[in-house]
């Protein structure tokens, strides 16, 4: 539509301005784009918070998974273009003189562009972390503590918005999103996170509930895709565009396709449910060692170290269905490691050490 073309063309001008005037900050902006990657929730934020506060850690996974699922559905409904291919195909520029937008190794994502998954995931998880941190100070009653709470509130929310703004700028800078797409992503993420502030049932969910939720999310997404495909609407329309207009074919990654994100998130949610409802979790994280600072620190350090090793596990991409299956298994293994395997090993090690000392 003419209004959308105008919005996109104004967005292109902003991208050109950023790429011209902020080139000196290119490495920093690329780094911040990685910071906003939803996959960091499972490999960095979740291991830290789960050992500090299991309620917050559990909420973080649920918010990330449901938020990314909504992001997928919104992307399929909104049919949002990405700047790096839109400038090549639009007809609004005279004499085919389309603007030149620089591309980067992380530019060529293959899914639709609206809303931004990075912006949505970043705002989701940081909203959970900020509200969790503030929940400790809101209980303070004396006058000096109330003043400290207000200062803490201002500081943490300032940090929240600074991070979101920089993540949004980074996504626009690399020409993978228009400005309105990252703004929509931020506020959509906040809404999802706020909804889970009033959903305490996830803390007591059984393994059956996790499985039912997984099945619902998968069947709804797959059914939505198949129904529209029967109506001759291809929800994977963005993949050929990405392959056609990406400056370097090596930058195209199957990991950025819509179904790859869905499978990754369903695996993480299943792994969390499996871990929380396991005997290893009950023995270690509900035992006497769970209250010890040394136990939590060891669990955090070991979890972060082990999860970094998962990055070296490369899933073969030559067969798409095999990739999805292995991606699901790898994603399920990560929260299972944090919730059950590592704490159980640390618990066993501490118990053995205590027996030797006695």
């Amino acid at each position: 539509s003419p209004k959308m073309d105008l919005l996109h063309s104004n967005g292109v001008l902003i991208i050109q301005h950023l790429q011209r005037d902020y080139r000196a900050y290119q490495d920093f902006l690329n780094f911040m784009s990685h910071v906003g990657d939803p996959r960091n929730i499972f490999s960095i934020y979740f291991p830290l918070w789960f050992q500090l506060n299991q309620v917050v850690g559990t909420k973080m996974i649920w918010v990330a998974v449901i938020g990314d699922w909504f992001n997928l559905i919104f992307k399929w409904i909104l049919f949002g273009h990405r700047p790096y291919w839109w400038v090549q195909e639009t007809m609004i520029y005279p004499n085919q003189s389309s603007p030149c937008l620089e591309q980067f190794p992380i530019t060529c994502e293959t899914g639709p562009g609206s809303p931004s998954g990075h912006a949505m995931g970043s705002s989701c998880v940081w909203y959970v972390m900020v509200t969790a941190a503030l929940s400790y100070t809101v209980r303070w009653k004396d006058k000096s503590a109330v003043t400290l709470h207000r200062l803490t509130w201002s500081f943490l929310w300032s940090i929240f918005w600074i991070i979101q703004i920089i993540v949004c700028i980074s996504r626009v800078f690399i020409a993978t999103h228009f400005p309105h797409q990252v703004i929509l992503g931020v506020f959509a993420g906040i809404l999802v996170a706020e909804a889970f502030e009033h959903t305490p049932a996830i803390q007591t969910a059984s393994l059956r509930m996790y499985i039912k939720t997984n099945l619902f999310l998968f069947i709804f997404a797959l059914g939505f895709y198949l129904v529209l495909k029967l109506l001759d609407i291809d929800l994977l329309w963005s993949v050929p565009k990405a392959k056609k207009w990406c400056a370097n074919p090596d930058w195209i990654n199957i990991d950025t396709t819509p179904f790859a994100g869905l499978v990754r998130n369903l695996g993480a949610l299943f792994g969390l449910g499996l871990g929380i409802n396991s005997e290893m979790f009950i023995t270690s994280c509900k035992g006497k060692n769970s209250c010890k600072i040394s136990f939590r620190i060891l669990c955090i350090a070991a979890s972060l170290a082990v999860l970094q090793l998962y990055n070296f596990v490369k899933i073969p991409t030559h067969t798409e269905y095999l990739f999805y299956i292995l991606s699901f298994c790898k994603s399920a293994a990560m929260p299972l490691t944090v919730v059950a395997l590592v704490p159980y090993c640390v618990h066993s090690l501490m118990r053995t050490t205590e027996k030797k000392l006695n």
Side-chain angles (χ1 to χ4, degrees):
S1 66
K3 288 184 178 180
M4 190 57 68
D5 284 340
L6 179 62
L7 189 62
H8 285 159
S9 62
N10 288 333
V12 168
L13 292 175
I14 294 174
I15 296 170
Q16 288 181 305
H17 167 70
L18 290 174
Q19 292 187 345
R20 182 182 67 248
D21 297 342
Y22 290 82
R23 184 170 299 277
Y25 305 100
Q26 174 180 321
D27 292 339
F28 173 70
L29 291 174
N30 283 334
F31 169 75
M32 288 305 298
S33 186
H34 284 294
V35 168
D37 193 329
R39 284 170 288 196
N40 289 331
I41 298 171
F42 309 118
S43 62
I44 298 176
Y45 303 131
F46 171 66
L48 285 170
W49 273 97
F50 188 81
Q51 303 304 339
L52 296 174
N53 188 316
Q54 293 170 10
V55 172
V56 177
T58 302
K59 185 192 300 181
M60 190 175 289
I61 292 290
W62 276 88
V63 165
V65 170
I66 301 301
D68 211 45
W69 183 82
F70 273 115
N71 182 262
L72 172 65
I73 301 301
F74 287 151
K75 282 182 174 179
W76 279 349
I77 293 173
L78 297 176
F79 282 80
H81 290 275
R82 293 186 185 270
Y84 75 92
W85 77 57
W86 181 82
V87 294
Q88 304 291 341
E89 296 188 344
T90 183
M91 303 298 294
I92 70 168
Y93 297 106
N95 303 322
Q96 301 299 316
S97 57
S98 58
C100 180
L101 298 182
E102 184 177 357
Q103 295 184 24
F104 304 86
I106 55 176
T107 295
C108 301
E109 296 203 7
T110 57
S114 186
S116 166
H118 280 64
M120 193 167 174
S122 176
S123 64
C124 268
V125 69
W126 280 93
Y127 189 93
V128 170
M129 289 193 291
V130 169
T131 53
L134 290 175
S135 67
Y136 289 104
T137 62
V138 74
R139 302 167 191 154
W140 298 342
K141 299 297 182 183
D142 58 273
K143 190 173 181 179
S144 60
V146 170
T147 302
L148 182 59
H149 168 71
R150 289 174 180 172
L151 290 173
T152 305
W153 186 95
S154 300
F155 174 75
L156 290 179
W157 283 117
S158 296
I159 294 295
F160 172 85
W161 284 111
I162 288 171
I163 290 174
Q164 304 320 310
I165 290 170
I166 297 176
V167 168
C168 289
I169 290 174
S170 72
R171 301 301 290 171
V172 174
F173 174 84
I174 64 174
T176 200
H177 284 296
F178 291 104
H180 70 277
Q181 295 173 343
V182 292
I183 293 171
L184 180 60
V186 168
F187 287 102
I190 291 173
L191 288 175
V192 172
E194 178 60 27
F196 275 88
E197 290 293 317
H198 311 286
T199 314
I202 61 173
Q203 302 299 333
T204 57
S206 63
L207 180 58
R208 178 178 294 183
M209 183 63 186
Y210 277 91
I211 294 174
K212 285 181 178 180
T213 304
N214 257 14
L215 288 174
F216 171 79
L217 297 178
F218 178 73
I219 292 172
F220 186 97
L222 182 62
F224 188 72
Y225 169 79
L226 293 175
V227 167
L228 290 185
K229 192 171 184 179
L230 289 174
L231 298 175
D232 204 27
I233 300 175
D234 183 15
L235 293 180
L236 300 181
W237 60 274
S238 59
V239 178
K241 290 182 181 292
K243 292 179 178 179
K244 181 179 180 180
W245 297 115
C246 185
N248 186 339
D250 293 336
W251 294 347
I252 297 290
N253 193 337
I254 189 175
D255 202 30
T256 66
T257 58
F259 278 113
L262 176 66
V263 169
R264 184 171 58 246
N265 287 308
L266 294 182
L269 188 62
F270 176 72
L272 176 66
L274 202 61
I276 283 181
N277 291 280
S278 67
E279 286 297 324
M280 287 189 291
F281 170 76
I282 295 171
T283 301
S284 55
C285 293
K286 295 295 184 181
K288 62 178 183 179
N289 283 329
S290 62
C291 297
K292 295 180 180 179
I293 299 297
S294 57
F295 173 80
R296 296 187 180 189
I297 292 175
L298 284 172
C299 286
I300 290 173
S303 296
L304 291 173
V306 172
L307 291 185
Q308 297 315 305
L309 297 177
Y310 281 99
N311 294 330
F312 294 100
V313 178
K314 301 300 179 184
I315 300 175
T317 59
H318 57 275
T319 305
E320 192 170 357
Y321 292 112
L322 178 62
F323 170 82
Y324 289 144
I325 293 171
L326 294 179
S327 180
F328 179 89
C329 295
K330 179 181 177 181
S331 299
M334 295 176 74
L336 182 61
T337 298
V338 174
V339 171
L341 296 178
V342 166
Y344 184 77
C345 291
V346 173
H347 169 77
S348 300
L349 180 63
M350 292 180 70
R351 187 174 59 181
T352 302
T353 304
E354 288 172 358
K355 285 182 179 180
K356 288 182 179 179
L357 292 175
N358 293 331

